[in-house]
Amino acid sequence: MPESSTAVATPPGDAAAKHTNPHHSRRWLILVVIGLAQLMVVLDATVVNIALPSAQQDLDFSNDARQWVVTAYALAFGSLLLLGGRLADLFGRKRAFLVGLAGFALVSAIGGAATSIEMLLVARAAQGVFGALLAPAALSLLTTTFTDPKERGKAFGVFGAIGGGGAAIGLLLGGVLTEYLDWRWSMYVNIIFAVIAFAGAAVLLKNSEADGPRPKLDIPGTITASAGLFALVYGFANAERDSWSAVSVWGFLAAGVVLLIAFVAIQQRAEHPLLPLRVLLDRDRGGSYLAMFLLAIGMFAIFLFLTFYVQLNLGFTPVQSGVAFLPMVATLMIAATSATAILLPKFGAKPLVSLGMLAAGGGLFWLSAIDTTSTYSNGVLFPLMIMGAGIGLAMAPAMSVATFGVDTHDAGVASAAVNTAQQVGGSIGTALLSTLAGNAATSFVVGKTPSPQLAAEAAVHSYTTAFVWGGWIFVAGAVICGLLLRSGAPAKAPEGSDSERAPVAVHM
């Protein structure tokens, strides 16, 4: 048998859970440890962004190099997630989790001590490498630790709230660290999170071994998947700077598509595939992955362009900008925890994901009404809270269902697929919405006399254009995911059943 029993094969009841799950008695403490690690990874995506202007001034690097401080992390993280998830399955999730934490802390220290842009870029890429090992290990540990549906709902609600709200908290933390300490603390702060989580994991987690010979790693699948994801993320990253007709954009995007098609073909024939297609082809799981992908695209419209608006148009400081997102974090956390603990067991993911994405889309449409005379209270606050509630309502159930019913020996790579969907969605969202916003700003000023007021109006017009497109992406996601996801609440399969058929739908 692989590591501890699968969630679907565990009979209900506390006694059965204690018998089959070595983490059962300490599961809530383990949730705290996993939550800290997840928060560190999510924070790192935005905490550095606020610190970039100060880092650029200190290390004296160009604007082009500034982009690569973000892109270096995204490239390594996005391209290696599937490999990281499979390594956790093969060598043990506790080992993967501890190595990921220790490595992330070490390279964060190197990044904080950087004396040149080259040193900083190497550290950021290395953060992505260790993050790709850590993130799927954390989610798969959560999946295999919480097997009871009610407790699983609460745990995934907390985890989903961290995933959705952590980026906004990162903006606040980055502003506080940069304004009151130094930009280097946006890197050093990871050491604090990692040390606490490492100590907790070392004491609380057990590393079960699989019986018999360890399956071989799918080398051809690893190469094609990693190269394909790298090419996709790199192509979309270049689209922020180059035109879509540039070879650096369409060439890498085409190469990425070809490599991923080859990856699928290899997975159909491999004896021990990197990502078994059975993980992807379940309707509920596929719909959940798509939901995570589309939510990531829309969320970038919120964080990226709304940050520009509150800082450049409303004149907020970095700290004030972070505080401005807290109402969204609050509604997101309330919705996420309520959705998975109370609503998901009763209604299933289908209505929650669809309603949540519609609410988030409505919030973006409402936000698109801002102009140069709007204030935070009359133009931003209430749409932001609506979006937070919608994202929390959709994201936490989607994340839970995406890993529900997976065989234990596939839990790591199934979890990695969730992170991959988010990472690729974020890359596409940044490139696509930045292009649309840039074109909108350019078109707005054509034939008009340049002035500071016109520049401000053009900037706001570019933001609202991105908000509208992000809103329509959410609406489309609500429809498509509503068609894919099964009706009814997820339920455990009977003991001994084939978990490839799970999640089982209880039709209402």
Side-chain angles (χ1 to χ4, degrees), residues 77-175:
F77 187 69
S79 60
L80 295 175
L81 273 166
L82 290 179
L83 174 60
R86 183 49 86 193
L87 289 176
D89 288 333
L90 294 179
F91 297 101
R93 295 179 188 96
K94 177 179 179 178
R95 289 194 187 96
F97 192 73
L98 292 177
V99 171
L101 283 170
F104 206 97
L106 176 62
V107 297
S108 295
I110 294 173
T115 56
S116 66
I117 181 58
E118 292 80 12
M119 186 175 174
L120 181 59
L121 290 178
V122 169
R124 288 289 289 162
Q127 280 184 319
V129 172
F130 287 107
L133 183 63
L134 176 60
L139 184 53
S140 59
L141 279 168
L142 189 71
T143 300
T144 55
T145 297
F146 287 89
T147 56
D148 179 80
K150 291 183 179 179
E151 292 186 344
R152 177 186 172 90
K154 295 177 183 177
F156 270 86
V158 173
F159 195 83
I162 292 172
I169 296 173
L171 295 173
L172 173 59
L173 184 60

Side-chain angles (χ1 to χ4, degrees), residues 81-470:
L81 273 166
L82 290 179
L83 174 60
R86 183 49 86 193
L87 289 176
D89 288 333
L90 294 179
F91 297 101
R93 295 179 188 96
K94 177 179 179 178
R95 289 194 187 96
F97 192 73
L98 292 177
V99 171
L101 283 170
F104 206 97
L106 176 62
V107 297
S108 295
I110 294 173
T115 56
S116 66
I117 181 58
E118 292 80 12
M119 186 175 174
L120 181 59
L121 290 178
V122 169
R124 288 289 289 162
Q127 280 184 319
V129 172
F130 287 107
L133 183 63
L134 176 60
L139 184 53
S140 59
L141 279 168
L142 189 71
T143 300
T144 55
T145 297
F146 287 89
T147 56
D148 179 80
K150 291 183 179 179
E151 292 186 344
R152 177 186 172 90
K154 295 177 183 177
F156 270 86
V158 173
F159 195 83
I162 292 172
I169 296 173
L171 295 173
L172 173 59
L173 184 60
V176 171
L177 293 174
T178 302
E179 192 165 326
Y180 296 109
L181 291 173
D182 186 83
W183 71 266
R184 298 179 184 276
W185 275 96
S186 66
M187 304 288 283
Y188 290 146
V189 71
N190 293 323
I191 302 172
I192 300 172
F193 285 105
V195 168
I196 297 173
F198 188 97
V203 172
L204 297 172
L205 295 177
K206 292 184 178 181
N207 205 59
S208 302
E209 298 289 346
D211 295 332
R214 180 180 289 127
K216 294 181 180 179
L217 185 64
D218 175 17
I219 300 299
T222 298
I223 293 173
T224 51
S226 298
L229 290 170
F230 180 95
L232 279 183
V233 175
Y234 186 74
F236 281 114
N238 286 337
E240 297 181 59
R241 182 188 66 248
D242 305 331
S243 68
W244 288 90
S245 61
V247 176
S248 60
V249 177
W250 69 260
F252 277 96
L253 295 180
V257 171
V258 170
L259 285 166
L260 291 179
I261 291 173
F263 169 70
V264 172
I266 290 170
Q267 299 309 281
Q268 292 176 322
R269 297 170 176 79
E271 183 179 359
H272 302 291
L274 178 69
L275 177 60
L277 295 184
R278 61 180 177 269
V279 173
L280 296 177
L281 295 180
D282 178 87
R283 274 181 59 185
D284 283 335
R285 205 168 294 123
S288 297
Y289 289 147
L290 180 61
M292 298 302 295
F293 171 78
L294 295 174
L295 282 167
I297 294 178
M299 284 176 65
F300 266 79
I302 301 169
F303 291 126
L304 181 62
F305 297 103
L306 191 55
T307 299
F308 289 157
Y309 177 74
V310 297
Q311 288 196 16
L312 300 180
N313 293 85
L314 299 184
F316 283 21
T317 67
V319 174
Q320 289 174 325
S321 300
V323 172
F325 280 97
L326 291 184
M328 174 186 174
V329 174
T331 56
L332 190 153
M333 288 184 172
I334 293 170
T337 52
S338 301
T340 49
I342 301 171
L343 301 177
L344 182 62
K346 293 182 179 180
F347 304 108
K350 182 173 183 171
L352 302 181
V353 171
S354 295
L355 181 60
M357 295 184 85
L358 284 176
L364 275 173
F365 290 139
W366 188 359
L367 190 62
S368 69
I370 58 173
D371 56 31
T372 55
T373 64
S374 299
T375 65
Y376 176 78
S377 59
N378 69 23
V380 176
L381 177 60
F382 294 109
L384 198 61
M385 294 173 69
I386 294 295
M387 288 185 288
I391 291 170
L393 189 63
M395 177 176 284
M399 190 177 291
S400 179
V401 173
T403 54
F404 184 88
V406 181
D407 286 332
T408 303
H409 55 272
D410 289 335
V413 74
S415 302
V418 175
N419 295 110
T420 302
Q422 287 181 286
Q423 185 62 38
V424 175
S427 298
I428 291 174
T430 302
L432 176 62
L433 296 175
S434 293
T435 300
L436 292 169
N439 291 340
T442 301
S443 301
F444 188 85
V445 300
V446 171
K448 299 176 182 177
T449 303
S451 68
Q453 178 63 23
L454 179 63
E457 291 174 354
V460 173
H461 178 66
S462 71
Y463 309 150
T464 58
T465 299
F467 295 150
V468 169
W469 277 97

